[in-house]
Amino acid sequence: MARALPSRADLVDYNYAVAGHDGTLSDVDGELFIKPCTPAEVAFYESSIAEHPEFAEYMPTYMGTLTLDESQTGKTVEEVGAALIAKHSLPEVVVPIKTGKRIETNLAVVLENAAHGFVKPNIMDVKLGVRLWADDAAEEKKIRFDKVTEETTHKELGFRIAGMRVWQGHGAKGSDIDEEGYKIYDKNYGRFSVHKGNVQEAFKNFLFSESAGIDEELGKLVAQAFLADVARIQAVLEAQESRMFSASLLFVFEGDGAALRLAMEEASRSPATLVNGDDENSQEDDDEDILGPKIYVVKVIDFAHATWVPGQGPDENSLLGVRSVAKILEDIGGV
């Protein structure tokens, strides 16, 4: 049965954003992620799907656009998706939602929520680039962002950890642990606490959580799985010509050790699911049971300042960060 896009009354604040995105929403089931955006970001999604399918594979699944308005067309998610497949672009769907504080816009993108389907999703946002501002940025923004680069791992490694949520196990308590048992590493963690000398330890804080049942063996397997996808993203970016300022790599994996081990065991019996437990971009498998429980996801996100630039070469600014992350994962995974 086709499921209608939610009305404003059915939307809730999205609680799993780790990098301070304001105004993000979700449907009550957590399957959709709704984010205020600019027309340029919509254009990048649509052009990527139409002309750069290798890169689009690593973008969040794009369901369409919403107008921040009080009326609603009543189109279903399935109808919007069918239009996307047929046209590589979407008719506008009008649904009432709220805007965030940082983006003044009447538009929002509707994306498939990469964290949906996990028992306890561990999430890390890694912001890419040495230069963080686009050509049209105001001078004040350039100065402010250059200061961030100078004071963080952006300068030497081409990325910084923008935020993490790591499940600590049942009954975990602490001043930095939320009511669901997640240890929160907010935007200040990567801004002020992480440097080149301890950045690998920061990744280990994300990958290993003994209290949640994620021991060294499981954490290394996750690191190896992440590395495989990051290497593919690197190859795609090296082969294409784009510019993405302040885009991020989004890492999600199953943070419940028992659930993670079971998912890996099931994947080992079904080789098609071993590469990535969710295979979100498959248009053919509608039966979620075929895919099995989710293990991990790697996506490239945040395209407010992204464009394709034929003839100008690969995006070396973002690639420095991608390569640095790959090296850290390689070291942790023992590859």
Side-chain angles (χ1 to χ4, degrees), residues 14 16 25-27 30-34 45 58-63 110-124 226 249-254 276-281 294-301:
Y14 182 70
Y16 285 170
L25 297 167
S26 174
D27 64 331
E31 295 180 33
L32 302 178
F33 176 73
I34 299 162
Y45 269 104
Y58 289 99
M59 304 173 81
T61 302
Y62 175 63
M63 307 299 292
V110 182
L111 308 171
E112 197 165 48
N113 177 14
H116 179 70
F118 293 91
V119 178
K120 296 292 182 183
N122 284 352
I123 305 171
M124 177 171 66
F226 280 154
L249 291 174
L250 180 71
F251 296 90
V252 188
F253 76 99
E254 179 54 68
N276 198 335
D278 69 310
D279 192 17
E280 290 181 358
N281 290 289
K294 294 174 82 171
I295 299 173
Y296 78 100
V297 175
V298 182
K299 296 293 180 185
V300 188
I301 63 170

Side-chain angles (χ1 to χ4, degrees), residues 11-58:
L11 295 176
V12 296
D13 289 336
Y14 182 70
N15 294 324
Y16 285 170
V18 295
H21 293 96
D22 293 319
T24 53
L25 297 167
S26 174
D27 64 331
V28 292
D29 295 324
E31 295 180 33
L32 302 178
F33 176 73
I34 299 162
K35 180 176 83 83
C37 70
T38 63
E41 187 162 7
V42 173
F44 188 77
Y45 269 104
E46 294 184 347
S47 65
S48 297
I49 292 165
E51 300 167 16
H52 304 273
E54 299 90 352
F55 180 77
E57 178 184 350
Y58 289 99

Side-chain angles (χ1 to χ4, degrees), residues 297-309:
V297 175
V298 182
K299 296 293 180 185
V300 188
I301 63 170
D302 293 344
F303 305 112
H305 306 287
T307 186
W308 296 103
V309 289

Side-chain angles (χ1 to χ4, degrees), residues 228-262:
D229 274 21
V230 171
R232 283 190 285 270
I233 290 168
Q234 177 183 327
V236 169
L237 288 176
E238 288 172 343
Q240 304 199 10
E241 298 174 305
S242 63
R243 295 295 182 270
M244 299 183 296
F245 297 103
S246 290
S248 290
L249 291 174
L250 180 71
F251 296 90
V252 188
F253 76 99
E254 179 54 68
D256 182 309
L260 177 61
R261 193 174 293 278
L262 285 172

Side-chain angles (χ1 to χ4, degrees), residues 146-158:
D146 283 347
K147 184 173 188 289
V148 171
T149 292
E150 189 68 26
E151 296 175 350
T152 66
T153 51
H154 278 296
K155 181 179 180 180
E156 294 185 77
L157 300 179

Side-chain angles (χ1 to χ4, degrees), residues 140-192:
E140 177 275 330
K141 185 174 184 178
K142 293 178 182 179
I143 293 170
R144 179 162 46 89
F145 279 19
D146 283 347
K147 184 173 188 289
V148 171
T149 292
E150 189 68 26
E151 296 175 350
T152 66
T153 51
H154 278 296
K155 181 179 180 180
E156 294 185 77
L157 300 179
F159 77 85
R160 87 172 187 276
I161 295 173
M164 305 191 305
R165 288 172 55 94
V166 184
W167 195 59
Q168 300 299 301
H170 295 288
K173 302 291 183 183
S175 59
D176 55 352
I177 297 176
D178 70 9
E179 65 278 2
E180 295 181 60
Y182 286 88
K183 185 170 184 178
I184 307 300
Y185 299 84
D186 65 14
K187 61 183 179 181
N188 290 326
Y189 176 66
R191 182 76 168 81
F192 301 111

Side-chain angles (χ1 to χ4, degrees), residues 258-334:
L260 177 61
R261 193 174 293 278
L262 285 172
M264 286 183 169
E265 289 173 356
E266 183 167 332
S268 70
R269 295 191 292 269
S270 306
T273 69
L274 189 55
V275 174
N276 198 335
D278 69 310
D279 192 17
E280 290 181 358
N281 290 289
S282 171
Q283 300 290 342
E284 298 177 1
D285 290 327
D286 293 326
D287 186 354
E288 292 182 3
D289 293 334
I290 294 175
L291 298 175
K294 294 174 82 171
I295 299 173
Y296 78 100
V297 175
V298 182
K299 296 293 180 185
V300 188
I301 63 170
D302 293 344
F303 305 112
H305 306 287
T307 186
W308 296 103
V309 289
Q312 296 185 35
D315 184 2
E316 292 296 335
N317 184 58
S318 295
L319 274 165
L320 175 61
V322 173
R323 294 180 186 124
S324 295
V325 169
K327 179 63 168 65
I328 291 169
L329 293 171
E330 183 178 332
D331 290 344
I332 293 175

